[in-house]
Amino acid sequence: MDLWLEGKKLRLDPQRALGKGGEADVYDLGDGRALKVFKRPEHPDYLGLTHEQDAAKARLAEHQRKLRAFPQGLPSRVVTPQALATDRKGAEVRGYAMRKLDGAEPLRRWGEPAFRRAGGTSADAVTVLAGLHRVLGAVHAGGVVVGDFNDLNVLVTGTDAYLIDADSFQFGSYVCPVFTERFLDPLRLDAKAQALTPVRPATVDSDWYAFAVTVMQSLLCVGPQGGIHRPKAQGARLNAVARVLQRVTVFHPDVQYPKPALPRSTLPDEVLHLFHQVFVEDRRGAFPLPVLEGLRFTVCASCGVEHARAACPTCQPHATAAATPVTSVRGQVVATRKFTTRGVVVHASADDGTVRFVYHADGAYRREDGRTVMRGGLDPSLRWAVQGDVTLLGQGGRVAVFAPGRAPEFLGVDTCENKPVFAANARHRFWAVGGGLWRDGPHGAERWGDVLEGQTRLFVGPRFGLGFHRAAGLRGAFLFDGERKGLRDGLALPWPSGQLLDAEAVFDGDSVWLFLAEEYGGRTVHHAVLLGPDGAVRASNWADAGNGSWLGTLRGKCAVGGALFCATDAGLTRVEARQGRLEAVREFPDAEPFVDAGCQLLLSREGLMVVGAQVLTVLRMT
């Protein structure tokens, strides 16, 4: 497809791809701008998807008029079209150039418990949200409705929030055609709806409803429709649609509050009451800015909880900590606590049954034996890996290698989605840079194979590794041996067609379980794929994010002997491959007190290791 911008023909290089959404691919123009190119019906992501092809055709037809009429004078924190990309004659609009935001993270990150534990603070979240409030108010003052306001359409640099995807904004006669289920105002639904599909257009009020969802998600790491409906009395469990229509929110007594979420009691009663008014009593209107700006968060010196109350809601400041038993028994599960810190565990891995980890305490990052790796405060932008006694720390395009008794070494690496591309097992470290996959060797770095520069994600297990890229119209995946050079590429994965949000991999002998999260059709969907040693798909499954099942979260999984153990708020679930489908075959509810959906599971020599924010516990089934 030929593209012309400001009189010049453009060459779209997949290595310059910045991201991929459900409707467009984004490229770096190299001049401080990014280029958003709308997917055409024949795009590979729409192969065999008739509905998506028809939607793409309709979307392109509307953009011919809408983008030429785009309103001027919107706030500078809105990333608006600066120049239209067209065909050679300038007759057909195919995309647009816009300002490029360097080092930006989606606001969604602020609602992730792992991000918050790693150093993202509520105080910073309030600064971000207050700035976003002013931007949204100014957009409305300009006669524009965002329409699909959600935490992926807001990018944050430092504590500055920017609205993106402006081409879907609603103005004049142009109605916003897209929505995100978690942020959808129930007042836009039909009272007898069977699906979360709006029948009424977006409004200023629905934008403010979505903003309130964003505030709650960013401050508590759970939205109003989070948690699992578990009726205490006799009665059927409500599905997602019924919960929305009946306003059965996370505040309802029959909804189990997610364990990884931050305690509701960390927020003042005034804020909690406001959430209840909006999400249960249907209060609408602009979110009160003074409520946001009046929040003052502090960290309890006794228990470390960050809260915005006059006194810590979870403890007495000078009380003696209650002693918890080292070993606990519940039914068929024996739990033994192996490690506790008043700080936070930021990384853990296991190789050949040995668990190694990095934690932050007393102003320093430390290894499992207490030795200091690096001093400094918590920083959620850091990425960690361990290679035996060696600790790897990545940030941006650089990885520091800390070996005991030696000065740090540094590696230049590619970044993908703003994250450094590297991984390690007990014997070796691997990284991508300059279009190559590299491994440490006895005489220096060794090139292991060729990869797509700046677009490759990398995972490694005890014996082999997995990598993949999905940039623009290109898709590719490969396996590689930890000891022999070369890549087994050309893997045919069941690629998701929406925006890829996250990925994780768990290794077990000669197989690997790959987990992908995508935003598709206004929903967040999780995919699980079991690959054999030849890269062929043995089994797969998918589920909506946050549905309470074993696939409701992406992490918290450990592969053992061909089976997968998954942590949920209700205990452990064993998953196996049956006739090409990954299915839950057994539940372990006795494990419920010792696990949650936000923990990590590792296989140790002593049993199943549960890695929490501050505690490592071994579980044994009797």
Side-chain angles (χ1 to χ4, degrees), residues 452-471:
L452 187 62
E453 182 176 357
Q455 304 296 333
T456 300
R457 297 176 186 247
L458 194 62
F459 308 93
V460 65
R463 303 180 187 176
F464 69 101
L466 166 71
F468 71 85
H469 64 258
R470 184 171 171 265

Side-chain angles (χ1 to χ4, degrees), residues 77 103 107 110 121-132 134-135 154-162:
R77 295 264 187 92
L107 182 59
W110 293 89
T121 67
S122 296
D124 283 346
V126 167
T127 302
V128 172
L129 293 166
L132 180 60
R134 297 183 181 92
V135 174
V154 178
L155 295 183
V156 180
T157 61
T159 54
D160 295 335
Y162 295 80

